[in-house]
């Protein structure tokens, strides 16, 4: 045993003096104060110089000293550092990434007294405890009477919460009701209590609120997967960490989610060096794990023997195997963390949670109701939101989502219950119903709203197509693709849409469904700039529609065969197909087909060099398009009008039309039309002596086409870009052109209308 310090310090001297004056042995003082004799001895020997505030209070109470002595003993402890409440807190197990704003906000509430009960809520593994301890360290100086951390996870009953708090405060021999004793011990002292993991003992909330009423200097910081629901509470939901904004090394390194992964991987003994390939893999890992800190930490523990690419393919196994041994047992695997939450749910909530696993990405209240298979889903859904297992998303529509680790856990529960197939069937039926409404809505004035709705349900749409294809339900898949092809073409991803069409087995399809599938295929190929493929698929659709006696689908198929013929320069064939399409559209009332047939006739006349007739035809198309109300149709028409005006030497007229098309694309985010608009605007900018802006707009057009897998294929537009782009590059020089190109690739559709103003203000020659 080491010798005692030669100067045991002021606390030791005062304690020994007043113990002797009270004629107490160390053992007797220990019994009175609720401490151990070893603890008292360590204080008097100077081995422990910085007692916690609650220890000082317990000793003063046991000694029966007056206020002056109590103050002297407290001052001695403060002088030794014992009043620094942060000393009693466990040290941080790992750095806190991306939570600086959260720490500052919660600390500000507690310091100012704006809120005396703050509850950090969020799903298991989101980092509530880590944040609470960081806040406690931050505000320790504002609570000179101490910070007490109470771990409630082992406490199984709400009635044991106050006794557990009492023990943490240093009271082992309490007289009278425990609430009175705890209130008396805290009194009016400035004290912070951290109640960690309250979700399973929420019935203790009124007792906590009662303490706040009786102890004016008390503040409580709680962590829970559900709020306490008392009037004094200020709930502070904690979101997962921000994900990488891109897949480059710089974007990944700047992401708090990636920082957690990289830090824990380094701690595991194998630091990850961010290169182009590893950064993309780390970004994908962060997205798969939804930025959930515990999931990232569990995954990173495996980096010591799995590089990021291999780990990405084995994430489920990584989350199910043991993490750091200093984590609580309930957090050593993701499954254990979520078991803890699951066991707190009602039977109805457990059932709904597992059934929601079949919904990919976000989902609406209607979708939740559809997959639940019960009369009223709202009570159970509300419980899951309150328990932080379902996230309520911001926005005008009631929408929700499961964090991906939670969804995987719920899917395993669903499989264990033998309910996967019926729940998936209900989810697929809900998507088919949604698409039935979208088919008509996508071609009219509500187009933007329907595109938004399908985009929000992109994951569910893809999941439904995957299930239909896997089950061999080709007819249903064909109907779904026919109803949603415009979404894939202008807002989704053309390549993904084409991939789904390619996976549908056409064998055995009746002519109606075959025509539907081929129409979707032709339209998507048209968006992708595949002129021969468009012609082939559209001809097949026209043949199948004729066999089925469907003049409406045949009209649209002939619009597409006619458009393909225009693009490849076969103007005679184009004229025949478009005339027949117009006749059929007039007989069937197919307004969409009629508008696009007339637009294609205008393109035909432009290709033929008859600009006057083309101008008149496109004026008719404009009248029809504005009557139809489809932003995509109108933007398509405006792009063609602008190209014709440019060829006719009417630069102002071309700019006006491209500007309106840009406004429409920004309003409803139609990437296909924007890919045509941006090069046109770039050509006008170049003509008006703005080569840097022209390069940016050309780059934005290239990035738009690349991101959406669309292509500019109308020959006059291709020729215009081929003529102007090299001139812009030459005017700027390679270095300046590269800078402008890089900047342009970052432009967003909503940025373009403002740039049009700069083009309008510029007048003059190159």
């Amino acid at each position: 045993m080491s010798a005692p310090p030669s100067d045991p310090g002021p606390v030791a001297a005062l304690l020994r003096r007043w113990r002797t004056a009270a004629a107490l042995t160390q053992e007797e003082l220990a019994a009175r104060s609720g401490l151990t004799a070893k603890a008292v001895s360590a204080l008097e020997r100077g081995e422990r110089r910085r007692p916690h505030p609650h220890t000082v209070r317990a000793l003063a109470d046991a000694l029966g000293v007056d206020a002056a002595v109590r103050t002297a003993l407290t001052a001695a402890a403060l002088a030794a550092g014992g009043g620094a409440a942060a000393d009693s807190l466990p040290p941080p197990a790992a750095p806190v990434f991306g939570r600086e704003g959260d720490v500052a906000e919660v600390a500000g509430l507690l310091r100012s007294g704006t809120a005396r009960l703050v509850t950090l809520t969020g799903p298991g593994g989101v980092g509530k405890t880590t944040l609470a301890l960081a806040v406690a360290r931050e505000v320790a100086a504002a609570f000179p009477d101490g910070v007490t951390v109470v771990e409630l996870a082992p406490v199984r009953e709400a009635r044991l919460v106050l006794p557990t708090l009492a023990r943490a405060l240093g009271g082992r021999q309490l007289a009278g009701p425990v609430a009175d004793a705890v209130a008396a011990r805290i009194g009016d002292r400035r004290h912070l209590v951290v109640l960690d993991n309250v979700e399973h003992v929420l019935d203790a909330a009124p007792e906590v609120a009662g303490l706040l009423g009786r102890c004016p200097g008390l503040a409580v910081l709680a962590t829970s997967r559900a709020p306490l629901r008392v009037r004094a509470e200020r709930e502070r939901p904690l979101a997962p960490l921000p994900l990488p904004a891109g897949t480059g090394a710089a974007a990944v390194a700047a992401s708090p989610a990636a920082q957690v992964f990289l830090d824990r991987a380094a701690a595991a003994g194998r630091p990850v060096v961010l290169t182009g390939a590893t950064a993309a893999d780390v970004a994908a890992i962060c997205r798969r794990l939804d930025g959930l800190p515990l999931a990232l930490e569990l995954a990173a523990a495996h980096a010591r023997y799995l590089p990021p690419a291999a780990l990405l393919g084995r994430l489920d196994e990584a989350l199910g195997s043991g993490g750091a041994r200093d984590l609580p047992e309930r957090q050593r695997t993701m499954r254990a963390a979520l078991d803890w939450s699951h066991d707190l749910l009602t039977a109805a909530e457990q059932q709904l949670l597992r059934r929601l696993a079949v919904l990919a990405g976000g989902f609406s209240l209607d979708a939740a109701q559809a997959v639940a298979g019960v009369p009223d889903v709202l009570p159970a859904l509300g419980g899951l939101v309150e328990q932080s297992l379902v996230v309520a998303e911001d926005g005008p529509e009631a929408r929700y989502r499961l964090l991906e680790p939670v969804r995987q856990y719920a899917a395993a529960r669903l499989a264990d219950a033998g309910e996967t197939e019926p729940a998936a069937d209900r989810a697929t039926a809900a998507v088919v119903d949604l698409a039935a409404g979208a088919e008509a809505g996508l071609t009219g004035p509500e187009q933007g709203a329907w595109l938004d709705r399908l985009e929000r349900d992109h994951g569910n749409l893809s999941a439904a197509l995957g299930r239909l294809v896997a089950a061999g339900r080709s007819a249903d898949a064909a109907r779904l693709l026919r109803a949603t092809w415009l979404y894939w073409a202008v807002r989704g991803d053309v390549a993904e849409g084409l991939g789904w069409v390619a996976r549908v087995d056409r064998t055995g399809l009746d002519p109606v469904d075959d025509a539907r599938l081929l129409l979707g295929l032709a339209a998507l190929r048209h968006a992708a700039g595949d002129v021969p493929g468009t012609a082939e698929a559209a001809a097949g659709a026209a043949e199948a529609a004729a066999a089925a006696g469907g003049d409406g689908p045949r009209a649209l198929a002939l619009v597409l065969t006619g458009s393909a013929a225009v693009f490849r320069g076969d103007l005679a064939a184009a004229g025949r197909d478009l005339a027949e399409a117009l006749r059929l559209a007039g007989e069937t009332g197919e307004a969409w087909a009629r508008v696009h047939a007339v637009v294609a006739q205008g393109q035909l006349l432009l290709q033929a060099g008859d600009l006057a007739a083309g101008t008149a035809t496109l004026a008719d198309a404009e009248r029809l398009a504005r009557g139809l109300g489809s932003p995509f149709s109108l933007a398509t028409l405006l792009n063609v009008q602008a190209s014709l005006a440019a060829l006719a030497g009417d630069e102002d007229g071309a700019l006006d039309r491209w500007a309106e098309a840009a406004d429409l694309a920004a309003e409803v985010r139609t990437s296909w039309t924007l890919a045509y608009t941006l090069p046109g605007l770039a050509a006008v900018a170049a003509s008006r002596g703005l080569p840097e802006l022209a390069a940016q707009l050309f780059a934005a057009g290239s990035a738009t086409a690349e991101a959406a897998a669309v292509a500019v294929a109308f020959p006059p537009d291709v020729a215009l870009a081929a003529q102007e782009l090299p001139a812009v590059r030459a005017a700027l020089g390679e270095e300046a052109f590269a800078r402008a190109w890089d900047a342009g690739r970052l432009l967003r559709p909503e940025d373009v209308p403002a740039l049009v103003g700069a083009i309008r203000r510029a007048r003059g020659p190159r």
Side-chain angles (χ1 to χ4, degrees):
M1 179 182 294
S2 60
S6 57
D7 178 14
V11 172
L14 284 171
L15 180 59
R16 187 182 306 109
R17 173 183 169 187
W18 290 105
R19 178 181 60 78
T20 303
L24 295 173
T25 65
Q26 290 182 345
E27 290 75 10
E28 289 169 337
L29 177 59
R32 286 191 182 188
S33 63
L35 302 176
T36 65
K38 183 178 179 181
V40 174
S41 175
L43 285 168
E44 290 194 0
R45 289 164 59 86
E47 293 174 2
R48 182 180 173 195
R49 292 173 175 252
R50 306 193 305 181
H52 299 158
H54 63 74
T55 300
V56 175
R57 290 195 300 272
L59 289 168
D61 291 345
L63 290 168
V65 295
D66 60 22
V69 175
R70 185 185 295 270
T71 299
L73 191 57
T74 300
L78 285 169
D87 290 340
S88 66
L89 294 169
V96 179
F97 294 103
R99 299 293 195 198
E100 294 81 2
D102 297 316
V103 170
E105 179 187 340
V106 177
L109 291 172
L110 293 169
R111 277 199 200 98
S112 66
T114 304
R116 293 178 55 213
L117 169 57
V118 179
T119 304
L120 303 177
T121 59
V126 80
K128 300 183 294 295
T129 299
T130 299
L131 180 65
L133 294 177
V135 170
R137 281 187 285 271
E138 181 73 15
V139 302
F143 292 90
D145 292 310
V147 175
T148 301
V149 179
V150 186
E151 171 55 68
L152 294 176
V155 177
R156 304 313 303 168
E157 298 180 41
R159 65 181 181 82
L160 299 178
V161 168
L162 285 192
T164 304
L165 171 58
R167 286 194 296 275
L169 289 169
R172 298 188 179 186
Q173 296 178 350
L174 296 173
V178 66
D180 294 343
V182 172
R185 182 167 292 277
I186 296 172
D188 59 0
R189 297 178 179 91
R190 185 83 170 124
H191 197 100
L192 174 66
V193 169
V194 179
L195 297 178
D196 195 26
N197 295 295
V198 185
E199 56 270 357
H200 62 299
V201 286
L202 289 172
D203 287 345
E207 293 180 314
V208 174
L211 279 180
L212 290 169
R214 299 171 67 176
C215 304
L218 174 65
V220 175
L221 176 60
T223 73
S224 178
R225 300 181 192 191
L228 274 62
R229 283 189 176 180
V230 293
R231 285 177 296 174
E233 180 180 39
R234 174 77 66 90
E235 184 184 359
R236 179 56 168 77
L238 194 58
L241 293 171
L243 300 173
T247 57
V252 172
S255 160
Q259 289 166 6
V260 168
F261 177 84
L262 295 170
D263 177 78
R264 295 294 82 201
R270 185 172 177 177
V272 175
V273 178
L274 291 179
T275 65
T278 60
D281 291 332
V282 171
I285 289 169
C286 293
R287 284 193 295 272
R288 277 278 307 279
L289 301 181
D290 253 321
L292 206 59
L294 176 61
L296 291 164
E297 182 172 348
L298 292 171
H302 298 265
R304 64 184 180 274
Y305 54 84
L306 287 176
L311 178 57
L312 182 58
R314 306 182 73 105
L315 276 183
D316 291 349
E317 296 169 46
L319 297 184
S321 55
R325 290 188 177 90
D326 61 345
L327 285 171
E329 188 172 343
R330 68 181 187 283
Q331 291 187 333
R332 291 185 188 171
T333 69
M334 202 66 218
R335 171 108 191 185
L338 291 170
D339 277 341
W340 171 268
S341 292
H342 181 269
D343 291 346
L344 300 176
L345 302 177
T346 66
E349 290 166 349
Q350 291 176 350
Q351 180 188 73
L352 178 60
L353 177 65
R354 62 180 181 260
R355 292 179 180 180
L356 290 176
V358 298
L359 297 172
F363 54 89
S364 66
L365 182 59
D366 288 342
Q369 183 68 62
V371 303
V374 296
D376 184 10
V377 74
L378 204 53
L381 183 61
L384 293 176
V385 171
E386 187 168 84
Q387 289 288 336
S388 302
L389 288 166
V390 170
V391 179
E393 297 184 326
D394 293 333
E397 182 190 2
R399 288 191 66 82
Y400 310 88
R401 70 186 180 99
L402 299 177
L403 298 177
E404 184 56 23
V406 177
R407 195 195 67 77
Q408 293 175 13
Y409 172 86
R413 287 278 186 175
L414 187 69
D416 291 344
E419 298 176 354
T420 301
E421 189 172 342
D425 287 344
R426 290 192 293 269
T428 301
V431 172
V432 171
D433 288 344
L434 174 66
E439 184 167 14
L442 284 172
T443 59
E446 298 300 315
Q447 184 177 84
W450 276 103
L451 288 171
D452 289 345
R453 189 167 181 184
L454 289 172
E455 184 174 32
R456 289 193 294 267
D457 274 300
H458 183 106
N460 292 315
L461 178 57
S462 296
L465 284 167
R467 286 191 287 261
L468 292 173
V469 168
R473 294 168 57 184
S474 298
D476 291 330
R479 295 184 192 110
L480 191 52
L481 286 163
R482 168 68 180 87
T484 59
W485 72 265
L486 186 62
Y487 163 72
W488 296 105
V490 305
R491 184 73 75 78
D493 182 288
V494 170
E496 185 177 353
L498 286 169
W500 285 120
V501 175
R503 291 177 60 187
V504 179
D505 183 3
R506 291 175 57 200
T507 305
L509 282 179
D510 66 29
V512 173
D513 290 326
D514 200 31
R516 286 174 172 144
L517 184 64
L518 290 172
L519 271 173
L521 175 61
L524 289 168
R525 285 179 173 174
H526 190 36
D530 179 1
V531 175
T534 301
E536 178 189 14
E543 182 180 343
D551 287 341
R554 185 163 173 260
L556 184 54
L558 291 172
V559 170
L560 289 164
T561 61
S563 294
V566 170
F567 279 41
R568 70 173 183 263
D570 188 350
L571 303 188
R576 290 191 299 271
D577 285 352
L578 293 174
E580 178 65 5
L582 272 174
R583 183 187 71 78
L584 293 171
E587 290 178 358
T588 60
E590 290 285 333
W592 173 275
R594 185 181 181 195
V595 168
H596 287 274
V598 178
V599 171
Q601 285 185 325
Q603 290 176 306
L604 186 157
L605 293 166
L606 193 159
Q607 281 280 70
D610 191 345
L611 301 187
T615 300
T617 297
L618 291 174
D620 288 341
E622 181 178 357
R623 176 179 54 81
L624 293 170
R626 293 192 186 278
L628 181 64
S630 157
F632 167 77
S633 301
L634 181 56
T636 300
L637 172 277
L638 289 166
N639 279 332
V640 180
Q641 283 184 319
S643 296
L644 191 149
L647 286 174
D650 181 8
E651 187 174 89
D652 286 343
L655 179 57
D656 287 343
R657 287 163 175 79
W658 274 320
E660 186 178 356
D663 287 339
L664 288 166
E667 179 186 342
V668 296
R669 292 185 290 130
T670 51
S671 53
W672 185 5
T673 63
L674 188 62
Y676 275 86
T677 302
L678 288 167
L681 290 172
V684 178
S687 174
R688 297 191 174 187
L690 300 170
E692 183 177 359
L693 179 55
Q696 290 177 0
L697 289 167
F698 273 127
S702 172
T704 298
E706 180 183 313
V710 299
V712 174
F714 187 42
D717 294 324
V718 174
L720 181 65
Q723 173 186 329
E724 294 293 341
L725 185 55
V728 168
R729 184 190 293 266
L732 287 173
E734 287 301 321
E735 191 173 321
F737 178 83
R739 286 197 301 270
W741 189 269
D742 289 342
R745 287 184 65 84
L746 300 177
L747 288 174
R748 301 165 301 173
E750 56 267 32
D751 298 328
V752 177
L755 299 178
V756 172
I759 300 173
R760 289 193 192 280
R761 292 189 294 272
R763 298 282 179 176
R766 294 179 187 271

